[in-house]
Amino acid sequence: MIVAESFWLWQFLGRLHPLIVHFPVSLLCIALLLEVIGWFRKSTEWQSGIRAMLWIGTISSIVAASLGLLLVNQDDYGGDTVAVHQWSGLATMALAIATVVALRSGRVQLYRSLLVLTVVGVSLAGHYGAMLTHGDDYLSSVLPSFNKPTRPATSESKFAFATATTGQPLDDKQIGELNLEVRSILAHNCYSCHSATKIKGGLRLDKKEFVMKGGEDGPILEAGHPEKSDLIRRIKLPAGHEDAMPTKGKRLTEHDIALLEYWIQQGAPWPGGAEKSIYRVAALEPRLPALPEATNGLTNPIDRFVNVYFQQHKLGWKNVVDDRTYMRRVYLDVVGLLPTPQQIKTFEADARPNKRDVLVNELLHRDADYAQHWLTFWNDALRNDYTGTGYITGGRYDITNWLYTSLKANKPYNQFVRELVSPTKESAGFIKGIKWRGTINSSQRTEMQAAQNVSQVLLGLNLKCASCHDSFISDWKLADAYAFANVFADTTLEINRCDKPTGKMAGTRIIFEKLGTINGKATTDERLRELADFMVQPKDGRLYRTVVNRIWAQVMGRGIIEPVDVMDNDPWSQDLLDWLASDFVANGYDVKKLMATILASRTYQLPSVGLKDADLITSPKFVFQGMVRRRLTAEQFTDAVSLAFSPVYIDTSIVEKLFPKKIKKEVPFARASLVKNDPFLTALGRPNRETVSTSRSSQANLLQALELTNGEQFNNALKRGAQQWKATYPTSDALVRNLYWKALGREPKPKELAIAQKIIGKNPSTEGIQDLVWAISLHPEFQLIY
């Protein structure tokens, strides 16, 4: 009886907590509003009302914070949201008390400042509290556009309902497929509250025994009777009902509900033995598909696979782009530079049928230019930068010299990976990670960073969720992440779940155990050598599919698989991806040979495709039709301006000490990939390299527009260049024609020439030239890769 009453009291306090929270939110906000009005109305009644509301709001904030501390574990909540909600609530309580003290002491200015801060604090605490109780979409979910009635989803596997009409019992295969769909519904809608990570109401839905057992309120289903099953009752209740499930996010579709009902009606079957994953898991081993027949003059292997894809999707081959477009495209993709006017004219006049193949090979042999361009991509992926967190304190190690020389020498990719995983002194910075100063989350200790980064960059696998708790988006478990992190650790790691020690020590194993067994008793260096040997084996198809997909995405604007860090997703052509990865291994892990095959294909030479919606890039419904049109990267844009008009950076901007001694002899000008990050490059999309970044957004934004309009770095470069061009080209006609050729690779059209001459004047002025260059640099023909 005592236990029951205690439980009732605990539940009552749990219900009371959010009710009490509403008092400080509303009263303190009203007090602030009255205070603002009171600045113009000095009556005693106003001041008395404000004081009363302030006192009541402060007292209720103290009670709410106290209840919050008592109930912090009541609903099995965990994660950062709980911590932010808890501490913002305590901070609000402290601010409210300080506000009352300041008011009583007559310090009006301090009181008003503290009142504003208190309202901000209570709003923040309320926001995170609402996220806990109603989900991240607690605001958007009540908007009309969010809760529009949805049509029943169409089942991709109609076997269950087809069998139901015939009255025939399900066979073993159908039972397995039905159970897989049921588990998928539970995973996507219920695991956030009812799994190993969080067990709300004592209910877990991630294992058979827990589903059948039920929760604190008893069983949730009665086999054979969906109408008597509490699970079905709750998911059918209207949103906002006290018992409705799920409490967070979108409601289940009619199809999902019907499928769960059918599953229970069939007796809630759950096959024994090893469970098939509800998530797609890509094959680890390599595969070499047969080359399709060469037809219609399509001899490049890529074109032969794409031809099959086009036939399946009823698409026809379009004419390839003209010489100028192709030349600009391939220059920017291989060396990151614009071709000169003379190079364009020479190429267009070349009558050789294989001139595009020749051009690709010539560009790939420009080793220094190639390295300076691709340095940007690998710096992003390997978290290598020239300044930033950890470099001053010695908690981070630079790999610039190793990376640059590796790219310049076209180091075979298997050796490249080997030196990253089992590093030399020069290449150790990648797996050493960042040793953060002060207290950090256990999932960000350096060993776990190594596990996360190696998995993401080299294997296209996201372990970040599984570094804190069992993943909600894959089968990877917390123990898997810690076991892989142990390969990089000097001492055995204790498993922490949501930053709380579990008392369990992690094992030591590679993330894909089929590749080999790590000796947990070996030294760290020996374990890393084992790991590197296992990862670079030809049988590790995952490693080579991942890099092939990344290179394809860089030059085609979209990977064969998207996102490129989720290699378990479906590719738009499995055969093409598998063939490219196998051919890459057969050709000695040569990245340049891979690029030559792609760049010489007719597929690469198709007209670019513009996507109106950026989300289509990652949509599973994406249909490949050619290279996706994309914006120049920050470094490409900067170098294009530098070549076409005037250097954006001066020679001393190059971080010369980090590169080989003769670096300046290899650089035609201060290329953006060789300089420290600054507001200009950041605005144009260069990421913070304290985290892995394997792709950049190609969408323009307000920050870019502001920086290109008012940014000091860019405008100073335009001003310097305008003065030089004015001295070099005294007539407007010559200046405009030269500028168009250098920037866009063509003559200006008559209308463009007239407008440009009007901008700069008959006798070009510095301001006019600067305005014209600015206008051309913002032109889509300059900013985009077509």
Side-chain angles (χ1 to χ4, degrees):
M1 181 70 179
I2 295 174
V3 173
E5 288 182 356
S6 298
F7 178 74
W8 176 87
L9 178 60
W10 200 249
Q11 293 287 79
F12 176 74
L13 291 175
R15 299 284 183 181
L16 194 61
H17 173 60
L19 182 63
I20 293 175
V21 168
H22 292 162
F23 278 97
V25 172
S26 57
L27 290 177
L28 291 172
C29 289
I30 294 172
L32 177 60
L33 178 63
L34 290 176
E35 180 65 38
V36 172
I37 299 173
W39 289 345
F40 306 101
R41 301 178 66 171
K42 303 295 183 180
S43 67
T44 305
E45 291 80 4
W46 279 98
Q47 298 302 325
S48 299
I50 292 170
R51 287 192 181 94
M53 288 187 174
L54 188 60
W55 271 103
I56 297 171
T58 300
I59 293 169
S60 59
S61 71
I62 296 171
V63 175
S66 301
L67 281 177
L69 289 173
L70 286 173
L71 301 169
V72 68
N73 295 315
Q74 180 226 331
D75 259 345
D76 299 307
Y77 289 118
D80 293 340
T81 303
V82 174
V84 175
H85 175 55
Q86 181 182 353
W87 288 107
S88 58
L90 291 172
T92 299
M93 178 187 71
L95 284 169
I97 294 172
T99 304
V100 171
V101 172
L103 179 61
R104 286 180 61 84
S105 63
R107 302 174 68 180
V108 177
Q109 289 300 115
L110 177 61
Y111 148 67
R112 287 174 174 170
S113 300
L114 287 171
L115 180 57
V116 172
L117 290 174
T118 303
V119 171
V120 171
V122 80
S123 301
L124 181 67
H127 167 67
Y128 280 94
M131 287 173 64
L132 281 173
T133 56
H134 294 81
D136 293 355
D137 58 349
Y138 74 95
L139 283 177
S140 59
S141 63
V142 298
L143 296 176
S145 61
F146 189 94
N147 275 323
K148 286 180 180 177
T150 55
R151 294 190 304 178
T154 302
S155 175
E156 293 182 2
S157 55
K158 299 181 180 179
F159 72 90
F161 300 102
T163 306
T165 59
T166 62
Q168 298 298 318
L170 302 179
D171 59 32
D172 290 343
K173 182 180 178 182
Q174 291 173 327
I175 288 175
E177 292 177 357
L178 173 60
N179 179 255
L180 190 64
E181 289 204 43
V182 168
R183 287 166 49 217
S184 297
I185 293 171
L186 297 178
H188 293 125
N189 297 278
C190 310
Y191 280 9
S192 59
C193 291
H194 303 291
S195 66
T197 302
K198 182 178 175 182
I199 312 173
K200 195 171 182 179
L203 176 64
R204 281 182 63 175
L205 297 174
D206 54 339
K207 295 290 182 183
K208 175 183 178 180
E209 58 268 29
F210 300 127
V211 174
M212 300 308 171
K213 177 183 176 183
E216 294 171 353
D217 296 331
I220 61 168
L221 61 85
E222 183 175 332
H225 298 281
E227 73 282 358
K228 297 180 181 179
S229 298
D230 196 48
L231 171 66
I232 301 301
R233 180 185 73 84
R234 285 175 177 266
I235 62 177
K236 282 186 170 182
L237 289 171
H241 191 284
E242 185 179 18
D243 290 338
M245 293 291 171
T247 58
K248 305 175 183 179
K250 296 181 180 180
R251 308 288 292 159
L252 271 66
T253 65
E254 291 181 21
H255 165 262
D256 290 344
I257 294 173
L259 194 143
L260 290 172
E261 286 182 309
Y262 180 71
W263 172 65
I264 295 174
Q265 186 180 14
Q266 294 297 310
W270 201 299
E275 290 184 346
K276 183 179 178 182
S277 175
I278 61 176
Y279 307 101
R280 183 182 187 274
V281 180
L284 178 67
E285 63 278 357
R287 169 178 169 265
L288 181 60
L291 272 174
E293 182 182 355
T295 58
N296 300 323
L298 299 173
T299 57
N300 185 295
I302 291 174
D303 297 333
R304 291 157 72 172
F305 284 109
V306 171
N307 188 51
V308 172
Y309 177 86
F310 278 179
Q311 289 174 351
Q312 292 170 345
H313 289 79
K314 298 180 180 180
L315 297 171
W317 285 89
K318 298 177 182 177
N319 293 330
V320 299
V321 295
D322 58 50
D323 284 343
R324 184 179 70 88
T325 302
Y326 176 78
M327 190 178 200
R328 185 177 186 272
R329 180 188 294 182
V330 77
Y331 257 76
L332 287 166
D333 280 339
V334 177
V335 295
L337 301 171
L338 295 178
T340 66
Q342 187 56 50
Q343 288 168 334
I344 295 172
K345 293 173 183 177
T346 301
F347 184 70
E348 288 182 321
D350 191 342
R352 291 177 296 175
N354 67 335
K355 66 179 182 180
R356 295 192 177 188
D357 295 351
V358 172
L359 175 61
V360 168
N361 288 326
E362 288 175 352
L363 288 172
L364 288 171
H365 280 88
R366 287 172 54 172
D367 296 333
D369 290 338
Y370 168 87
Q372 289 157 24
H373 170 56
W374 282 89
L375 184 68
T376 290
F377 168 76
W378 286 108
N379 274 340
D380 287 0
L382 302 179
R383 304 207 310 182
N384 182 60
D385 214 339
Y386 312 133
T387 56
T389 301
Y391 287 125
I392 295 176
T393 62
R396 189 177 182 185
Y397 301 90
D398 185 274
I399 64 171
T400 301
N401 188 72
W402 173 85
L403 180 56
Y404 181 77
T405 54
S406 296
L407 294 173
K408 187 180 175 186
N410 192 33
K411 185 175 290 179
Y413 188 68
N414 61 338
Q415 184 61 26
F416 183 86
V417 170
R418 187 186 299 277
E419 292 178 18
L420 284 172
V421 175
S422 177
T424 64
K425 185 177 180 180
E426 279 197 317
S427 63
F430 176 57
I431 65 165
K432 291 289 185 183
I434 301 174
K435 189 174 182 180
W436 302 97
R437 299 179 67 183
T439 303
I440 62 163
N441 188 290
S442 57
S443 66
Q444 278 302 300
R445 58 185 305 156
T446 55
E447 300 92 340
M448 189 59 79
Q449 289 179 47
Q452 293 169 355
N453 297 341
V454 167
S455 299
Q456 181 179 353
V457 176
L458 304 179
L459 299 172
L461 171 66
N462 186 348
L463 272 189
K464 291 180 180 177
C465 289
S467 302
C468 189
H469 50 73
D470 291 348
S471 176
F472 295 142
I473 58 173
S474 71
D475 289 323
W476 296 108
K477 307 298 183 186
L478 183 63
D480 298 322
Y482 268 89
F484 192 37
N486 248 347
V487 178
F488 305 91
D490 293 327
T491 58
T492 303
L493 303 178
E494 179 186 2
I495 297 175
N496 281 250
R497 184 185 300 279
C498 295
D499 213 27
K500 295 179 180 179
T502 64
K504 299 178 181 179
M505 306 307 287
T508 303
R509 60 180 180 273
I510 191 171
I511 198 70
F512 290 105
E513 293 184 82
K514 288 182 180 179
L515 296 175
T517 302
I518 299 291
N519 181 4
K521 296 181 180 180
T523 65
T524 305
D525 288 344
E526 290 170 344
R527 291 198 303 272
L528 293 178
R529 279 193 291 271
E530 286 182 342
L531 175 61
D533 288 341
F534 292 147
M535 286 185 62
V536 301
Q537 296 173 97
K539 73 175 185 178
D540 185 3
R542 178 107 182 190
L543 176 72
Y544 302 115
R545 287 189 188 96
T546 300
V547 69
V548 161
N549 190 58
R550 293 197 189 285
I551 300 299
W552 180 279
Q554 283 300 110
V555 300
M556 298 296 291
R558 200 249 189 215
I560 300 173
I561 292 177
E562 278 289 339
V564 291
D565 291 336
V566 189
M567 288 299 290
D568 287 315
N569 279 355
D570 278 310
W572 58 259
S573 174
Q574 186 71 60
D575 284 349
L576 174 59
L577 179 63
D578 288 346
W579 185 90
L580 283 172
S582 296
D583 186 66
F584 179 63
V585 172
N587 278 301
Y589 314 93
D590 190 326
V591 173
K592 286 188 176 181
K593 282 187 178 179
L594 167 66
M595 290 184 63
T597 302
I598 298 173
L599 301 175
S601 69
R602 183 175 175 184
T603 301
Y604 176 78
Q605 300 174 49
L606 289 172
S608 63
V609 178
L611 298 180
K612 293 182 179 179
D613 185 354
D615 291 339
L616 290 175
I617 287 285
T618 56
S619 170
K621 297 180 181 179
F622 173 83
V623 176
F624 176 79
Q625 299 181 60
M627 186 200 87
V628 175
R629 193 174 305 146
R630 61 197 188 277
R631 191 174 300 278
L632 297 179
T633 65
E635 291 81 2
Q636 286 173 322
F637 176 83
T638 304
D639 291 349
V641 172
S642 297
L643 268 180
F645 187 61
S646 176
V648 176
Y649 293 98
I650 57 178
D651 289 346
T652 55
S653 299
I654 297 174
V655 284
E656 190 175 356
K657 292 181 180 179
L658 301 180
F659 287 91
K661 292 181 180 179
K662 298 181 180 179
I663 183 66
K664 280 199 172 180
K665 294 181 179 179
E666 300 176 348
V667 181
F669 58 91
R671 296 195 63 173
S673 64
L674 313 182
V675 305
K676 297 176 182 178
N677 204 0
D678 61 15
F680 174 68
L681 293 174
T682 298
L684 268 63
R686 179 157 156 178
N688 179 340
R689 289 170 175 158
E690 291 175 4
T691 58
V692 168
S693 178
T694 53
S695 60
R696 296 189 187 181
S697 173
S698 189
Q699 300 300 304
N701 57 52
L702 180 60
L703 182 60
Q704 291 177 16
L706 292 173
E707 187 65 31
L708 292 175
T709 303
N710 299 310
E712 184 177 349
Q713 186 72 41
F714 185 55
N715 280 286
N716 284 345
L718 296 189
K719 187 175 182 179
R720 290 194 304 269
Q723 294 168 348
Q724 295 168 358
W725 275 63
K726 180 180 179 181
T728 306
Y729 302 102
T731 65
S732 61
D733 185 78
L735 189 149
V736 172
R737 291 182 188 280
N738 273 279
L739 182 57
Y740 264 79
W741 267 107
K742 287 190 173 184
L744 305 179
R746 64 173 176 81
E747 282 279 344
K749 298 172 184 177
K751 189 174 181 179
E752 291 174 328
L753 181 61
I755 294 173
Q757 288 176 333
K758 185 176 181 181
I759 292 174
I760 64 175
K762 188 175 182 181
N763 296 314
S765 66
T766 301
E767 293 77 10
I769 297 171
Q770 188 173 343
D771 287 345
L772 177 60
V773 175
W774 179 82
I776 290 178
S777 68
L778 296 187
H779 196 288
E781 195 174 341
F782 184 82
Q783 287 215 347
L784 301 179
I785 300 178
Y786 282 93

